[in-house]
Amino acid sequence: MADTKNTRILRVHPAKGLVPLNMAELWEYRELLLFLLWRDIKGRYKQTAFGPLWILGGPLINMVLLSLIFGKLAKLPSEGIPYPLFAYSALLPFGLFSSSLTGTATSLLDNSGLISKVYFPRLITPLLPVLSAFVNFSASFLILLGMVFAYGFMPGVEILCLPLFLLLAAMTGLAVGLWWASWIVHFRDLRDVLQYIVKAWMYASPVVYSSSIIVDRFGPEWMPLYRLNPIVTVVDGVRWCLLGVGQGPDSMLVFSYIVVFLLLLGGAFAFCRAERTIVDIA
Amino acid sequence: MSELKSIRVDGLGKCYRIGAQRRKAQTGIVALRNSLMAPLAYLKQKMTAATEEETLWALRDVSFDVRPGEIVGIVGRNGAGKSTLLKILSRITDPTAGHAEIRGRINALIEVGTGFHPDLTGRENVYLSAAIHGMRKAVVDAHLDDIVEFSGVAKFLDTPVKRYSSGMTVRLGFAVAAHLNPEVLLVDEVLAVGDADFRKKSLGKMPGVAASGRTVLIVSHNMGAILSLCTRAILLEDGRLVADGVAQEVVSTYLSRGATHSGEAHGNEMLRPGQKLKIRRLRALNVQGNVAGEFQKSRGVCIEVVFDVLEPGRGYVVNLQLFSLEFGCILTTSSWDSDVDSGAQRRWEEGRHVARIMLPTELLRGGEYWVKATSAMPGVSVLDEMDEELRFVLMDSDSPLAKHAEGRRGVILPILAWDIRRDDEGRTTKKGGV
């Protein structure tokens, strides 16, 4: 049995109970993840006059529109921060969360053509939109940094905590998205429902308003409930890192991480279970 | 060590849930109520277990072993479970029952060019497609020259794939696939695409793969390909394994079973976006113009092909290939041939066309034949290809050769005139010599 040592045996059998996640295999296919990411980015900017400049151009136009509308028209309390800066600093991390969420939730459907033709670890498909969201975020973040300096703010060492909050935003999107993906396979209706959930989620987070409103209007006893939403911690945290308002890392951040991690683990199992049947019903 | 199996399949089954027939609503009120209740009905269907009439066993209790280095063809009619079997073995979908073991690295070619992005160049797509099949970038780097040479698209390597003809795309996709070097290779109808030259090259590549100790499983409707590539074949019928043995015997069993000699074959209903021509039907007609499955060699066979031109244009060609079980492809005839006189290519108007072709039965041996219809713009693209073939039997009981042609060799059996004369001059010379 000398040669059986280095040939592996693949066993195919009906899926029952928990499907193992097989992280080792996922690691083996890491190149594919990067190739697919690169394909999406490169494919998106082919045949455009400005090409990759659009990565910066999109967020730039967004920022200008936002400044025009909110800088002049709407007046919401923003803790002394110029409103465009106040809103943009929250829209970016929220966008990181929401595009991770929607991309992950529809990943099985979006890639069903590939999934029905060739085998690869399916967990790659939800990771792809998350990485893609990070790429887009990085470009927009450069614009945001420019804005921060232009308005005369100087971020201190707090900015080193930024990855802590960004990772939480992406993980929350991924975790919820994985659960959603496992249901969307059976009920396509959920794809339409999702955009309303994202909208509601934005209003449940201090994106266009300040979280201090909650304390002012409802009283401080509502804060712990409000902060069960991890995105509240994310948005307030990002503002704290860049602008010095909001809330830095505290016990709620640790709590959010624990909850989101458990949610993520469960979501991964739910996803792997759903992934085995999508080929048959999609 | 002789016990070592490359693939072991044991009691494999796959059950699909299909929607039960709904009764049609009789009145508007009932229809309205039904649509309001639809979400509940959908939920109920999702939650409850499937009943007997709602399930379909695409594959049932299939068991077989494959030794390393064997090339096994899987044959059967559409819907017999061939592709399902490949999809289970390649882990694209899970079985419902049974299990399988595969020894070594496995690759499945269900479709050529899977994951190609039309906006990326040929070179970029080679890397992408290889990565999707689990090939490392370093390995692709090492084989890039071979892949490019095999594909024959070197000149267009830095052109976006969307500018490729479909033939070029297929060639590039297959070139990547051919260099994956797995220990077990599963191939689904991949050889059915591409032009004749490339097909030959691909076919040539297959036995080479197996000679190096690799195991190959091929699903194909192309009996010629199965016979020339495989030593062994497996026949599936309605999801069950009904024959397993020497390729020639299994193919013969397949061809002789059931309604396979109906003298009629239909194209599938799938239309690709932008498809220019679709082959709808093939029929074998006797002298009276009736569909038949058996013919007398002396009375002739007329093949009727019905196709729809969906977009008017020039340069479309419909081809018929005639195969025999024993000899493979006997001839190819083309709609082009009738344009040869005028020197120009016919302009096709939109709409249904019917073509009738008399086969030269006076040349053919008795036996089983099948006809495949394809359509293409030669050198540009494949337009359509029927996966079902038309089958018929040619009998020879009343021709002069009927009695004594047994045992003669050769692909065709024409009656040639022998001009035999008594040669008196020759005899005298011979005599004079002695």
Side-chain angles (χ1 to χ4, degrees), chain A residues 147-161:
Chain A
M147 255 173 108
V148 168
F149 291 126
Y151 277 102
F153 286 85
M154 209 57 199
V157 283
E158 292 91 346
I159 202 169
L160 294 177
C161 292

Side-chain angles (χ1 to χ4, degrees), chain B residues 134-345:
Chain B
M135 200 179 188
R136 288 278 165 76
K137 184 173 177 296
V139 182
V140 188
D141 285 338
H143 287 97
L144 189 63
D145 291 342
D146 291 345
I147 294 176
V148 171
E149 198 202 336
F150 188 81
S151 71
V153 298
K155 261 200 290 187
F156 307 98
L157 205 58
D158 293 306
T159 310
V161 163
K162 65 178 169 190
R163 310 229 185 284
Y164 281 29
S165 71
S166 53
M168 284 160 69
T169 316
V170 164
R171 292 214 295 269
L172 190 65
F174 194 87
V176 176
H179 290 83
L180 289 173
N181 283 339
E183 279 135 299
V184 176
L185 181 65
L186 311 178
V187 186
D188 190 357
E189 206 62 75
V190 170
L191 303 171
V193 288
D195 52 60
D197 275 353
F198 187 73
R199 202 181 297 207
K200 222 155 96 200
K201 206 159 129 188
S202 313
L203 290 176
K205 184 93 186 165
M206 287 287 155
V209 168
S212 52
R214 293 192 182 90
T215 312
V216 187
L217 237 61
I218 302 175
V219 163
S220 183
H221 285 99
N222 185 340
M223 294 304 135
I226 295 276
L227 288 173
S228 63
L229 290 174
C230 306
T231 45
R232 177 181 155 198
I234 286 170
L235 171 59
L236 293 180
E237 212 172 79
D238 297 327
R240 290 173 193 277
L241 192 153
V242 292
D244 179 355
V246 178
Q248 189 137 351
E249 285 167 19
V250 173
V251 168
S252 166
T253 312
Y254 167 54
L255 291 175
S256 63
R257 271 177 98 97
T260 50
H261 291 176
S262 64
E264 203 166 347
H266 295 270
N268 59 24
E269 293 299 315
M270 281 183 294
L271 275 183
R272 277 175 288 134
Q275 184 154 7
K276 297 187 172 77
L277 192 149
K278 181 79 199 167
I279 302 171
R280 295 295 183 186
R281 197 178 64 196
L282 265 181
R283 297 201 299 177
L285 306 175
N286 59 20
V287 272
Q288 285 86 30
N290 298 325
V291 177
E294 294 184 351
F295 296 87
Q296 276 295 346
K297 177 175 151 91
S298 55
R299 310 291 295 273
V301 181
C302 179
I303 302 297
E304 181 193 78
V305 52
V306 176
F307 54 96
D308 289 336
V309 174
L310 305 169
E311 192 182 292
R314 272 180 212 285
Y316 310 161
V317 164
V318 177
N319 296 315
L320 293 184
Q321 291 168 316
L322 179 71
F323 292 89
S324 91
L325 178 60
E326 228 175 320
F327 299 104
C329 189
I330 304 291
L331 62 86
T332 302
T333 180
S334 163
S335 62
W336 209 344
D337 304 350
S338 57
D339 298 338
V340 168
D341 285 343
S342 65
Q345 283 186 15

